Short mmCIF file of all heavy atoms in Angstrom, two decimals:
data_model
loop_
_atom_site.label_atom_id
_atom_site.label_comp_id
_atom_site.label_asym_id
_atom_site.label_seq_id
_atom_site.Cartn_x
_atom_site.Cartn_y
_atom_site.Cartn_z
N ASN A 58 -7.19 -23.74 16.53
CA ASN A 58 -6.60 -24.37 15.39
C ASN A 58 -5.84 -23.49 14.40
O ASN A 58 -4.99 -24.00 13.61
CB ASN A 58 -7.63 -25.15 14.58
CG ASN A 58 -8.27 -26.21 15.44
OD1 ASN A 58 -7.61 -27.25 15.69
ND2 ASN A 58 -9.45 -25.98 15.92
N GLU A 181 3.21 -17.04 28.07
CA GLU A 181 2.49 -18.31 28.02
C GLU A 181 1.90 -18.60 26.64
O GLU A 181 1.69 -19.70 26.23
CB GLU A 181 1.33 -18.25 29.07
CG GLU A 181 0.27 -17.23 28.88
CD GLU A 181 0.66 -15.79 29.33
OE1 GLU A 181 1.85 -15.54 29.70
OE2 GLU A 181 -0.25 -14.90 29.29
N ASN A 277 -0.61 -25.22 16.40
CA ASN A 277 -1.64 -26.23 16.00
C ASN A 277 -1.98 -26.18 14.51
O ASN A 277 -2.36 -27.21 13.94
CB ASN A 277 -2.86 -26.04 16.78
CG ASN A 277 -2.87 -26.73 18.15
OD1 ASN A 277 -2.00 -27.55 18.42
ND2 ASN A 277 -3.75 -26.32 19.06
N ALA A 369 -5.44 3.41 -4.47
CA ALA A 369 -6.46 4.42 -4.39
C ALA A 369 -7.79 3.88 -4.96
O ALA A 369 -8.85 4.30 -4.36
CB ALA A 369 -6.04 5.64 -5.15
#
Side-chain angles (χ1 to χ4, degrees):
N58 297 287
E181 64 281 6
N277 277 344

